[in-house]
Amino acid sequence: MHAHNPYRPDLASIREVVQETANIKTLRVVFEDESVMHNFSFRPGQVAQLSVFGVGESTFVINSPPTRREYLQFSVMRVGEVTQRIHQLNAGDQVGVRAPLGNGFDYENMQGKDILFIGGGIGMAPLRTLLLFMLDKREDYGDIMVIYGARTPHDLCYQYEFDQWQKANVNLVLTVDNEFPGWKERVGFVPTVLSEESPSPHNRVAIVCGPPIMIKFVLFGLKEQGFEDSQIITTLERRMKCGVGICGRCNIGAKYVCVDGPVFSRQQLSEMVNEL
Amino acid sequence: MDTAIKFIAFDQLNSALDRISEQLDVWVPVASKDQKRVIQFAPYRPGMTLVLDHQTTLGPKQVVLPQVEALFRFDYRKSADEPSRQKVQLEDPHPPAPTLIFGARPCDVKGFLVLDQVFSAGPFVDGIYAARREQTLFATMVCGQQDSACFCSSVGSGPTDRTGSDLWITPIAAGYVVEALSDRAHPVMAWLQEAATELHVAAAGKVQEEAARQQVGNLAVDQCQQHFLQRFADTNYWQEVAGQCLSCGICTFVCPTCYCFSITDEMKDKHGERIRSWDSCMFFTYTLEASGHNPRPSRLERYRNRVGHKFSYFPEKYQGLIACCGCGRCIRNCPVSIDIRKAVQNLQGQNHACS
Amino acid sequence: MNSDLRSELHKKAEQAWPDLELLIGWQAGYDDLHTTPVFIRDSAEISKLIWNPWCTQNLAVYVAKHFAASSGKDDKKIGVCVKGCDSRSLIALLQENLVARERFYIIGMPCKGIVDLRKLHALSGAARILSVQVNAEQVALKSAAGVLHFPLDEVLMRKCRRCRYPNPLIHDVLVGDPLTPRTDAHEAYNDVAAIERLSLQERLAFWQGELDRCLRCYACRNACPLCVCQDRCIAETRDPKWLTQYMHLPEKFMFHFIHALHLAGRCTECGECERVCPMEIPVALIKEALNKITLELLDFEAGLDPQRVPPLLTFDAGETGI
Amino acid sequence: MTQSHDNPAHKQALTIVGFLCNWCSYGGADTAGVCRFKQPTDLRIIRVPCTGRMDPLFIARSLILGADGVLVSGCHPKDCHYAVGNLYARRRLEVLKRMLPFMGIDGDRFRYTWVSASEGQRWQQVVTEFSEQIRSLGPNPGVTGKSAAAATA
């Protein structure tokens, strides 16, 4: 980040583009200035503003972990003007990156605990960061369970990594909304699968990210399982512009999602005004 | 160093400003050519007629936070090593020139004290704003004109509030008495030629006293921070105070303390700018997400956020500072005469039956 | 006079109340010179309703939204108070099937004209206005500088001085007696004609000078009862991107030009766009010019006959001359 | 669409934007080309599905930004590929044409006309006439604000 001009991105180039699903691409990006790349540090869960000059900027979580520093990875779902353009980019193309922004996950407080990741669709992206970070420090954490759902098997991101996750002793539960030819894993919505699995809340942290409707029912489900508000972590999305707590739009009450978030515990959310 | 109190006779005002504007960029309140009641700050040019006996339609906010400004420029150029590729070059905006805002009101200056928190208090500092703020001097005039929409005394300011000003102007029968309030004012004082006489100073003292006696507005804002939060979910209340809102941007655009902005890229051919432009929390698109979700979809939520931001969220974040300067512009200019004082005054009290 | 009409309004509102779920009217604003719309959902609040020469807002602006939100449960209607000009906006909404007549109870207010605050302020100069009394055709303005008297006509809004329809063209009940219109259609376009007398260059310079003040606050758009797509406006969409966010003249010019063109054959000349503009840009003139064109070319005036279709929403295969 | 050129020397070449309906006038222009009818070269053609697609915005934007002329051409009335598209269009276009001068933009810089796919000769005539008309009007200053009096006194 530029101290005098927090709106000015650092130039970066795309090293590789991975087509995850029909409308999600993953970009692997390196800063052009080697010293920027070398000195770059961040917490899992922190975000970046990715720009295409002439089109605009959008916010994405850095979904590569801080422990793997050869590139920064972003997964981008095509929904609006900027993401449309990002999807047209190829390896070698230039982008702007302002990072790290936001608070990131409080992983220190998760050490020694069992972890439950619950993700839906593109919502797996922030979870992947923390998951890989934990896998790189596997001994610091207890059981790791991942419940990951998408509409169809084709809508699951990071499929090429599932094997590695499982090899690292991750209990990976995959589910899709409806029956699908050749699909051998679970079928049903994430909240249903959660109640079927019914993981014990004892000494466990649940980290939830996905579409608003999924989050709503998962939070309800977790409550039923006996999870306390402080054991439930989620990430919020808001329309952002500046990313540095100035431009004003991403507030929920006095909190700005861009600097005070995007990671909030359910406890924190319950203390904020209800304007999601 | 010239620390004497100065005097500008009415007929000497332009020649004084001519001298100052040779050294600094000077912004003054002037009436629009065709609509005499539309008064705005504009760069001073010799011969201009200043309007100093009316509050301006738009405060001087735009001098430090222009309605549109470039955050940086970008240019696509052919890459030297790979001619088929375009490489981007970025360029920061030019540093600002020293500027004097002449003839602002205490409420106008109070607005900047609010903006300063947002742009300069961190965690990130907006260097573009901070540099311009650093270069800007305020010659503020004691305020003798209040109307039924003014309420500056209610929000910790008042007609003689000198906080944040560098020079202090008092209009008397013969002209303007000018005092320096900060060290930064001394060069400007030196360019003013006529020293004030004892009579001038005494007359100015009278005007000050008279203005200081004015209690402008009777809104009580203590504890509005908590009262707002208690009122937050009371839909009937917000319907009552802002059901008539048209969701236009007037209140935010004329507000000295509203600063929210949008950032967009504008490009022509291979050159462009990332600009910031005033945005309004009253607009539907302000919080509209690409997915179509909008956390503040209706006018009530947006108005509630505006009140909350000024009277609850802001003081919560910045040591009790209320993000309102009581200038009354939002009330005066609202097409449907929504009164933010009423919205704040009634926060306290029983949750509403649909009255 | 006003107090009689006010009690008549209260009485008629009381009578209608059993059939209403909501009544939209005017109430006192933050001072004597300002009124603000009120949404009455409880008969106890009917006493808040006022009627006087300050009731400036065109309440038809709220009608489409409340119509869309209303369930129409128990056949209850939405009541709305309209002046002559406002009633035309309501008819225009009916013409475009944006609202349904049977869902509304229309309280018509024959109107002698609304006071233009800007004219009052111009008359009082720098002196603060302390009070204003309107008695029949006379106005007494008391300011710090003294009391001024002048004819009411002198301080009426521009739209009122050219008003052809002081009586609501559509109503379920009238408050007060119908009034005689003041001008004929020919004189109504005097202000447009004045601009037309300028040379092309002068007209361009005039509009450039006026529109340059625009802040793009979009109050003119949002106060318009017929600007029904305001949350999806070309002024703000980025895709397609018709306008940049720059404050350059072409952007402002384009916005106002298109805003007016979207109202061609639809604008009912309620003048709200012009009244609400904080920069006092005479934007209603642009729409009046378009209305003059649609009147001459297509023999159509918006907001008169609920059965007629606005001319640009239809066609006539047989028409000649275009 | 083209922004006005600041340098008058560039103005030798005119910028005329032509919006041609896909079914008639675009074919007409093609016919004129195939028949090798000589035409002025100032017209930049944008193909639209129907003149009914013509949002007056396209024309206003072109002229505001300094296009020297705008020509809209479609099927003859009652001959529209979509039956009635051009019947809607002609009302809109006529209203726009009469509106332009009120805002200070010369209405002669805008013309709408009907040319069928077989009328190559007519197309040649329309383009030639319109180009000459625009040439005689000279460059369009657009709405740049440069000639506007300063907003404040």
Side-chain angles (χ1 to χ4, degrees):
Chain A
M1 297 288 290
H2 294 256
H4 62 290
N5 186 351
Y7 311 107
R8 180 181 171 151
D10 286 301
L11 294 175
S13 59
I14 298 173
R15 182 185 278 188
E16 198 180 346
V17 179
V18 182
Q19 182 90 41
E20 297 279 358
T21 74
N23 63 353
I24 298 173
K25 281 185 175 182
T26 290
L27 274 58
R28 294 177 178 155
V29 164
V30 288
F31 287 111
E32 290 185 352
D33 184 333
E34 274 171 29
S35 69
V36 172
M37 194 70 209
H38 182 77
N39 294 323
F40 188 77
S41 69
F42 67 103
R43 295 176 66 84
Q46 282 194 297
V47 301
Q49 288 276 8
L50 199 60
S51 38
V52 182
F53 299 99
V55 183
E57 238 179 358
S58 266
T59 316
F60 304 98
V61 69
I62 307 168
N63 74 49
S64 50
T67 41
R68 306 181 189 183
R69 301 174 43 94
E70 59 271 39
Y71 53 76
L72 302 180
Q73 177 168 309
F74 306 99
S75 295
V76 179
M77 184 156 86
R78 195 179 60 227
V79 279
E81 186 200 4
V82 176
T83 50
Q84 189 91 26
R85 184 72 188 88
I86 288 175
H87 267 241
Q88 295 165 359
L89 298 174
N90 297 307
D93 286 343
Q94 232 176 356
V95 289
V97 176
R98 288 194 291 139
L101 304 169
N103 60 353
F105 291 105
D106 184 12
Y107 59 85
E108 291 93 340
N109 263 324
M110 301 178 192
Q111 284 168 2
K113 294 183 181 162
D114 295 341
I115 310 292
L116 169 62
F117 290 103
I118 305 172
I122 185 74
M124 195 61 212
L127 304 187
R128 175 191 187 261
T129 323
L130 186 58
L131 174 65
L132 295 195
F133 179 79
M134 288 176 169
L135 295 187
D136 290 342
K137 298 170 185 278
R138 188 68 187 86
E139 64 287 356
D140 289 350
Y141 304 92
D143 280 353
I144 299 181
M145 179 178 196
V146 177
I147 301 177
Y148 179 26
R151 277 199 315 222
T152 73
H154 297 311
D155 295 310
L156 290 163
C157 298
Y158 319 119
Q159 302 194 20
Y160 43 89
E161 293 179 355
F162 290 169
D163 280 355
Q164 295 168 37
W165 299 0
Q166 279 164 326
K167 268 183 210 143
N169 207 9
V170 170
N171 177 6
L172 178 63
V173 181
L174 297 170
T175 182
V176 297
D177 290 358
N178 295 302
E179 297 282 354
F180 200 89
W183 179 251
K184 295 189 178 59
E185 310 284 332
R186 308 287 278 268
V187 174
F189 294 131
V190 169
T192 318
V193 174
L194 170 67
S195 68
E196 286 164 9
E197 290 291 323
S198 76
S200 151
H202 177 70
N203 195 36
R204 194 186 290 269
V205 180
I207 304 139
V208 188
C209 190
I213 188 74
M214 184 206 91
I215 293 190
K216 187 178 160 188
F217 285 103
V218 165
L219 293 183
F220 190 71
L222 288 170
K223 196 105 195 162
E224 264 186 354
Q225 309 272 340
F227 280 82
E228 299 289 327
D229 283 355
S230 58
Q231 287 175 278
I232 304 171
I233 312 290
T234 188
T235 73
L236 293 182
E237 264 196 86
R238 276 280 150 127
R239 182 166 190 218
M240 290 180 198
K241 284 285 182 182
C242 76
V244 291
I246 297 178
C247 85
R249 78 195 58 232
C250 68
N251 75 305
I252 299 174
K255 300 280 184 219
Y256 285 93
V257 172
C258 66
V259 289
D260 301 311
V263 178
F264 294 96
S265 71
R266 183 145 199 228
Q267 175 98 42
Q268 289 170 305
L269 289 181
S270 68
E271 290 158 8
M272 284 152 64
V273 301
N274 181 15
E275 197 174 68
L276 301 175
Chain B
M1 194 184 291
D2 196 347
T3 54
I5 297 176
K6 293 296 177 74
F7 177 73
I8 310 173
F10 285 130
D11 60 0
Q12 295 299 307
L13 181 59
N14 279 79
S15 62
L17 290 170
D18 289 347
R19 279 194 303 282
I20 299 172
S21 64
E22 281 167 19
Q23 314 284 337
L24 300 168
D25 288 352
V26 180
W27 289 67
V28 294
V30 288
S32 135
K33 189 165 75 73
D34 306 304
Q35 304 293 342
K36 297 291 179 219
R37 285 187 33 81
V38 178
I39 307 160
Q40 302 187 64
F41 281 84
Y44 176 78
R45 289 191 309 272
M48 266 183 167
T49 309
L50 275 59
V51 181
L52 292 167
D53 58 358
H54 257 101
Q55 187 189 53
T56 53
T57 313
L58 283 182
K61 177 170 77 175
Q62 50 157 336
V63 181
V64 182
L65 184 68
Q67 185 159 7
V68 171
E69 74 176 314
L71 299 171
F72 58 85
R73 292 188 48 77
F74 52 84
D75 294 278
Y76 280 94
R77 297 191 187 153
K78 274 199 177 122
S79 159
D81 6 300
E82 250 184 303
S84 65
R85 249 178 220 296
Q86 305 270 346
K87 288 281 174 194
V88 176
Q89 291 192 351
L90 304 184
E91 193 190 325
D92 280 325
H94 298 300
T99 300
L100 171 72
I101 295 174
F102 187 91
R105 301 291 170 111
C107 52
D108 297 333
V109 179
K110 162 102 178 169
F112 288 101
L113 303 180
V114 170
L115 304 193
D116 290 348
Q117 296 296 320
V118 179
F119 289 94
S120 304
F124 293 90
V125 173
D126 181 321
I128 300 168
Y129 173 92
R132 207 179 276 115
R133 183 73 170 88
E134 178 68 36
Q135 292 286 338
T136 306
L137 291 170
F138 290 94
T140 310
M141 195 143 114
V142 58
C143 184
Q145 296 85 24
Q146 46 155 307
D147 71 9
S148 55
C150 289
F151 61 109
C152 55
S153 305
S154 306
V155 289
S157 182
T160 56
D161 181 6
R162 302 178 174 208
T163 324
S165 296
D166 301 288
L167 296 100
W168 188 247
I169 309 170
T170 310
I172 59 170
Y176 303 100
V177 174
V178 184
E179 301 163 61
L181 298 183
S182 73
D183 291 345
R184 307 199 305 163
H186 291 135
V188 180
M189 292 298 278
W191 300 324
L192 298 176
Q193 289 169 335
E194 190 178 347
T197 64
E198 273 179 34
L199 279 175
H200 291 146
V201 175
K206 278 226 168 79
V207 172
Q208 298 278 349
E209 263 174 49
E210 173 61 28
R213 269 202 299 276
Q214 307 285 332
Q215 168 69 31
V216 184
N218 54 6
L219 173 69
V221 293
D222 28 308
Q223 298 192 317
C224 58
Q225 190 179 329
Q226 291 75 25
H227 292 148
F228 171 82
L229 297 174
Q230 288 152 14
R231 226 10 138 176
F232 187 85
D234 184 354
T235 315
N236 288 334
Y237 179 78
W238 298 108
Q239 172 64 40
E240 166 93 16
V241 296
Q244 66 271 55
C245 175
L246 298 173
S247 198
C248 75
I250 290 182
C251 52
T252 50
F253 283 16
V254 299
C255 177
T257 68
C258 272
Y259 58 84
C260 294
F261 56 86
S262 183
I263 300 177
T264 49
D265 282 17
E266 308 294 356
M267 180 162 73
K268 195 179 154 219
D269 302 327
K270 297 289 171 197
H271 314 288
E273 292 175 334
R274 182 158 294 168
I275 59 170
R276 78 156 131 229
S277 52
W278 291 358
D279 205 342
S280 171
C281 57
M282 307 310 287
F283 293 158
F284 174 78
T285 49
Y286 179 67
T287 47
L288 179 66
E289 292 164 18
S291 65
H293 175 66
N294 194 339
R296 295 197 276 268
S298 88
R299 294 154 195 227
L300 297 189
E301 287 115 9
R302 300 201 281 276
Y303 188 80
R304 178 177 68 187
N305 182 67
R306 181 161 199 273
V307 173
H309 190 178
K310 296 198 178 303
F311 291 91
S312 180
Y313 310 154
F314 204 91
E316 180 181 337
K317 207 166 153 71
Y318 300 108
Q319 300 85 45
L321 182 64
I322 285 175
C324 172
C325 63
C327 71
R329 286 185 177 93
C330 59
I331 303 168
R332 219 173 282 118
N333 289 291
C334 178
V336 291
S337 299
I338 294 176
D339 188 347
I340 197 167
R341 292 169 300 189
K342 188 177 146 205
V344 174
Q345 189 76 73
N346 297 335
L347 283 171
Q348 191 177 7
Q350 291 304 304
N351 268 15
H352 245 59
C354 182
S355 65
Chain C
M1 174 202 77
N2 286 329
S3 63
D4 292 349
L5 289 177
R6 189 178 173 192
S7 34
E8 188 182 338
L9 168 62
H10 288 179
K11 209 171 86 203
K12 290 186 168 160
E14 295 278 4
Q15 284 164 359
W17 185 256
D19 294 331
L20 304 183
E21 60 176 30
L22 170 71
L23 174 57
I24 311 174
W26 301 275
Q27 65 176 332
Y30 67 91
D31 67 12
D32 292 344
L33 308 187
H34 293 85
T35 62
T36 187
V38 61
F39 301 85
I40 293 175
R41 291 185 173 81
D42 179 343
S43 64
E45 294 205 303
I46 286 174
S47 60
K48 282 186 179 176
L49 286 177
I50 57 167
W51 171 240
N52 60 34
W54 313 98
C55 291
T56 187
Q57 292 94 4
N58 179 355
L59 304 177
V61 73
Y62 301 110
V63 156
K65 193 171 306 100
H66 283 280
F67 172 70
S70 154
S71 59
K73 203 170 65 135
D74 308 328
D75 285 335
K76 293 248 184 175
K77 299 181 179 192
I78 299 167
V80 57
C81 297
V82 293
K83 307 185 286 285
C85 46
D86 309 342
S87 75
R88 291 182 62 195
S89 310
L90 211 49
I91 292 174
L93 292 168
L94 291 168
Q95 287 173 328
E96 296 176 32
N97 293 320
L98 291 163
V99 295
R101 176 68 181 90
E102 65 275 11
R103 292 281 298 110
F104 288 93
Y105 184 81
I106 302 168
I107 302 181
M109 318 297 291
C111 171
K112 288 183 176 170
I114 298 296
V115 175
D116 187 341
L117 280 178
R118 287 168 186 161
K119 289 185 180 158
L120 285 187
H121 282 298
L123 286 164
S124 78
R128 183 181 170 187
I129 297 175
L130 299 172
S131 72
V132 183
Q133 298 290 326
V134 180
N135 289 315
E137 305 298 322
Q138 284 293 316
V139 179
L141 186 158
K142 194 173 160 200
S143 76
V147 184
L148 289 167
H149 296 273
F150 35 79
L152 175 63
D153 201 53
E154 211 171 284
V155 290
L156 289 185
M157 305 199 67
R158 195 168 67 80
K159 68 162 178 178
C160 302
R161 298 179 76 168
R162 51 189 285 275
C163 175
R164 288 160 290 154
Y165 305 98
N167 303 308
L169 299 174
I170 188 174
H171 55 81
D172 293 295
V173 64
L174 271 190
V175 175
D177 299 321
L179 302 164
T180 324
R182 64 175 64 220
T183 56
D184 64 21
H186 175 69
E187 287 168 12
Y189 289 111
N190 276 353
D191 296 326
V192 172
I195 305 262
E196 285 171 345
R197 281 194 291 275
L198 300 173
S199 74
L200 203 59
Q201 285 73 24
E202 286 167 335
R203 275 176 257 164
L204 183 62
F206 172 77
W207 286 116
Q208 291 189 151
E210 292 287 341
L211 294 176
D212 194 41
R213 287 202 302 279
C214 175
L215 296 173
R216 293 178 74 176
C217 70
Y218 307 127
C220 49
R221 178 191 72 188
N222 290 22
C224 176
L226 291 157
C227 261
V228 285
C229 53
Q230 48 192 244
D231 289 346
R232 301 277 184 278
C233 181
I234 59 140
E236 292 168 288
T237 57
R238 296 288 295 177
D239 188 15
K241 182 175 159 187
W242 285 110
L243 296 180
T244 72
Q245 288 303 305
Y246 284 122
M247 289 300 286
H248 299 159
L249 195 53
E251 321 292 320
K252 302 173 183 179
F253 201 96
M254 172 95 169
F255 167 68
H256 288 285
F257 200 146
I258 300 305
H259 173 44
L261 277 176
H262 283 186
L263 290 160
R266 303 175 64 229
C267 170
T268 56
E269 301 180 17
C270 71
E272 284 291 81
C273 50
E274 187 162 312
R275 176 186 71 84
V276 302
C277 178
M279 306 311 281
E280 304 190 15
I281 304 169
V283 283
L285 265 182
I286 311 176
K287 289 123 196 171
E288 285 163 31
L290 273 164
N291 278 358
K292 186 162 172 267
I293 292 168
T294 44
L295 182 65
E296 289 165 358
L297 180 70
L298 301 159
D299 190 29
F300 186 86
E301 275 190 273
L304 298 185
D305 176 0
Q307 306 308 321
R308 279 192 76 180
V309 180
L312 295 186
L313 303 184
T314 183
F315 61 87
D316 174 2
E319 72 196 337
T320 52
I322 60 171
Chain D
M1 268 160 268
T2 315
Q3 193 107 30
S4 66
H5 307 283
D6 292 324
N7 183 350
H10 287 290
K11 275 294 185 180
Q12 299 304 321
L14 295 172
T15 304
I16 303 178
V17 187
F19 293 95
L20 272 54
C21 110
N22 178 53
W23 304 98
C24 291
S25 296
Y26 196 81
D30 195 38
T31 306
V34 170
C35 296
R36 298 184 182 270
F37 295 146
K38 194 168 177 319
Q39 301 173 41
T41 54
D42 307 307
L43 191 74
R44 325 282 170 93
I45 293 175
I46 296 172
R47 185 160 56 159
V48 291
C50 173
T51 47
R53 170 69 181 94
M54 281 309 295
D55 191 327
L57 166 86
F58 303 163
I59 300 150
R61 183 125 182 105
S62 306
L63 293 173
I64 286 170
L65 290 183
D68 299 309
V70 178
L71 176 66
V72 175
S73 186
C75 310
H76 287 279
K78 300 187 190 172
D79 233 3
C80 175
H81 183 79
Y82 304 99
V84 296
N86 56 5
L87 298 178
Y88 283 103
R90 67 179 179 182
R91 285 188 161 190
R92 278 181 221 146
L93 297 175
E94 181 62 27
V95 168
L96 174 70
K97 188 169 172 64
R98 293 182 186 208
M99 185 59 197
L100 288 169
F102 186 75
M103 301 301 289
I105 297 171
D106 196 336
D108 288 342
R109 294 194 181 276
F110 166 54
R111 184 173 170 192
Y112 64 94
T113 184
W114 320 115
V115 175
S116 79
S118 60
E119 296 176 314
Q121 197 116 43
R122 179 170 153 76
W123 175 253
Q124 177 197 32
Q125 191 192 345
V126 164
V127 174
T128 310
E129 274 175 22
F130 189 64
S131 301
E132 270 163 21
Q133 181 179 328
I134 298 302
R135 194 166 294 280
S136 71
L137 289 172
N140 174 16
V143 182
T144 55
K146 278 174 196 154
S147 60
T152 47

